[in-house]
Amino acid sequence: MTASRPADTGLFRDPDFRRLWTADAVSQAGTAVTLLALPLVALGTLHADAFQAGLLVAFEYLGFLLLGLPAGALVDRTSGHRVMIAGDLGRAALLGSVPVAAWLDVLSLTQLYAVAFGLSVCTVFFDVAAQSRLPRLVAPDRLVEANVRIEAGRTLTQAAGPGAGGALVGVLTAPVALVLDAVSYLASAALLARIRRPDAVPGAGVAEGAVRGAARDLGADIAEGLRFVLGDRLLRALTLGSALSNLFGTMGAAMLLVLLAGELGLSPFLCGLVFTAEAAGGFLGSLLTTRITRRLGRGPAMCAAVVTSGVLWLAAVPCFQADWRLALAVALQGLGWTAFMTFKITSVSLRQELCPEPMLGRMTATFRFVVWGVMPVGALAGGVLGQHLGARPALWIGALGELAAVLPLLLSPLRRLRELPRSVPSAGERPACRSPQG
């Protein structure tokens, strides 16, 4: 049951929300190191080419494509709290295996691919459970505020992470730097274990019976999640727009380090500054999101965010050079993320507000299946393009494609949605064949 709190009580006065926020921030700080370290292990230590680097990124998201749908149904049947802790512990073990293999001189690209895929599986379950857990920790009228604080914490820790990660990789080598990420996941699990508010299984009467084989099968749950996500025009458009953004964004992101560290020969520290700028821009954007959506309305703000960020990222591509133009590219990249955060945060809050509690896991998993499931495809496409055309042409194609992400939004009622209606129908009040998505 969603907790309600006095209107004048700050979210950080709630110890359970504070622990959730801190656990997420600690985990994200370590992940910012891996953002650099894992590809640099492949590019530097194992001398991967552009296609192999793209394949590594594909494995980092493959879990969402293969397991995204059943993950949501399973999370809806169990405790999301325990799933999050298990996800943290699994990621710590996987990352810890890389420096051990490097010390034993047995590290290979095959192991990196396996670790990347294992991380994606753990992240599938962790992220689905986390987005399902948050609405049960805060009151409905504070979801936007809670998501803003979560995203602000992530981007704040990530802002320092890549730069620090680049320095650590330069001093300690990339495999050793991954030890810090493993430790961060252990710390996150310890903090999550201290959350005291009960995490009752949503729709316990149905879900527990299903777990025992007395009610519904997994396929029925997955099918219901798909209908729930794709049945509403507003949120179907949001899903398609997010999927296009991720498809082309991953195409470019997979080749960014290949361009920076490979073709331009930049140091790990300078590579890290690019990602630091992205996180710093995202942090600034998270602080501006509420003000922007109040002024423009939710739908217009999301449309403007996608167009503005796409134009800025497109402008950054020719500026990635091994001279003074790199500073301009870094600034444009960061400003692009400042704009994009309005779309990211507003879309998460909109999905959570429109979703009845018993469907939270399946809603999140179905959305992630579509939106994150295209990312391995984008990474592979980026690797193929990078191998045959070069990393920079792949970045051009990715940046141009991201502009197309606004089309599903403009062709739907989202373009004029200013605010969500005060009363949102519950799952039982919706037609069985169509419901809002996640």
Side-chain angles (χ1 to χ4, degrees):
M1 186 173 180
T2 303
S4 61
R5 303 193 63 79
D8 59 350
T9 300
L11 281 173
F12 282 116
R13 295 184 184 180
D14 180 341
D16 283 340
F17 177 80
R18 190 167 62 245
R19 289 170 186 137
L20 178 67
W21 183 91
T22 306
D24 188 78
V26 168
S27 174
Q28 293 297 326
T31 300
V33 176
T34 298
L35 183 67
L36 274 177
L38 199 61
L40 287 178
V41 171
L43 291 168
T45 305
L46 300 176
H47 309 293
D49 59 27
F51 176 75
Q52 291 169 329
L55 187 59
L56 178 63
V57 176
F59 274 112
E60 289 179 327
Y61 297 108
L62 189 58
F64 287 93
L65 182 61
L66 300 182
L67 298 172
L69 293 177
L74 291 170
V75 167
D76 276 343
R77 299 178 178 196
T78 187
S79 166
H81 191 109
R82 294 176 183 175
V83 171
M84 292 171 69
I85 294 173
D88 271 340
L89 295 177
R91 289 184 287 189
L94 286 163
L95 285 171
S97 72
V98 176
V100 171
W103 291 332
L104 297 175
D105 199 26
V106 295
L107 185 62
S108 66
L109 277 172
T110 300
Q111 180 180 345
L112 283 191
Y113 295 150
V115 168
F117 176 66
L119 290 173
S120 74
V121 171
C122 292
T123 301
V124 167
F125 285 95
F126 182 94
D127 285 358
V128 168
Q131 288 201 12
S132 302
R133 186 74 168 107
L134 184 61
R136 298 171 197 148
L137 279 180
V138 302
D141 61 349
R142 308 200 76 167
L143 263 180
V144 173
E145 179 189 356
N147 278 306
V148 166
R149 292 186 182 278
I150 290 288
E151 289 297 333
R154 288 182 176 184
T155 51
L156 181 62
T157 53
Q158 289 170 349
L168 287 170
V169 169
V171 173
L172 302 177
T173 74
V176 178
L178 290 174
V179 173
L180 294 179
D181 198 5
V183 171
S184 76
Y185 285 126
L186 292 175
S188 175
L191 286 164
L192 290 171
R194 296 187 60 203
I195 293 178
R196 296 291 177 251
R197 193 165 307 161
D199 184 26
V201 178
V206 175
E208 290 174 10
V211 172
R212 298 186 182 107
R216 323 161 51 171
D217 61 19
L218 189 63
D221 280 352
I222 292 173
E224 184 176 2
L226 283 168
R227 289 194 301 270
F228 187 83
V229 166
L230 301 177
D232 184 272
R233 285 193 307 159
L234 278 177
L235 299 173
R236 183 171 63 245
L238 185 60
T239 304
L240 292 175
S242 300
L244 283 172
S245 177
N246 277 0
L247 174 67
F248 288 101
T250 310
M251 185 182 298
M255 291 297 100
L256 183 55
L257 267 179
V258 174
L259 175 66
L260 298 176
E263 296 184 9
L264 298 181
L266 299 181
S267 69
F269 178 72
L270 288 177
C271 293
L273 287 182
V274 176
F275 296 98
T276 296
E278 292 181 0
F283 175 67
L284 176 60
S286 70
L287 298 180
L288 297 174
T289 291
T290 301
R291 183 178 302 177
I292 292 171
T293 54
R294 283 176 180 170
R295 180 176 293 270
L296 300 180
R298 292 196 186 190
M302 286 192 287
C303 292
V306 173
V307 171
T308 304
S309 61
V311 169
L312 288 167
W313 288 330
L314 191 63
V317 174
C319 298
F320 283 114
Q321 305 289 346
D323 55 30
W324 63 270
R325 287 171 290 182
L326 180 65
L328 181 57
V330 168
L332 290 168
Q333 193 83 351
L335 288 172
W337 275 99
T338 299
F340 191 73
M341 288 303 291
T342 294
F343 173 77
K344 183 177 180 181
I345 293 175
T346 305
S347 65
V348 170
S349 301
L350 183 63
R351 298 197 312 266
Q352 290 172 336
E353 289 176 64
L354 287 174
C355 181
E357 190 168 303
M359 290 292 296
L360 280 168
R362 279 163 287 172
M363 176 274 290
T364 302
T366 304
F367 182 84
R368 289 292 182 96
F369 168 74
V370 177
V371 172
W372 288 61
V374 301
M375 294 174 80
V377 179
L380 279 175
V384 171
L385 290 170
Q387 188 75 10
H388 291 89
L389 302 179
R392 195 181 301 275
L395 284 173
W396 276 113
I397 294 171
L400 285 168
E402 287 217 47
L403 282 172
V406 75
L407 293 178
L409 309 184
L410 293 175
L411 295 174
S412 78
L414 267 174
R415 69 181 183 276
R416 57 179 179 269
L417 177 71
R418 296 196 61 83
E419 192 51 73
L420 197 66
R422 289 184 177 273
S423 177
V424 178
S426 66
E429 296 171 320
R430 298 184 182 277
C433 63
R434 62 187 301 274
S435 302
Q437 62 86 46

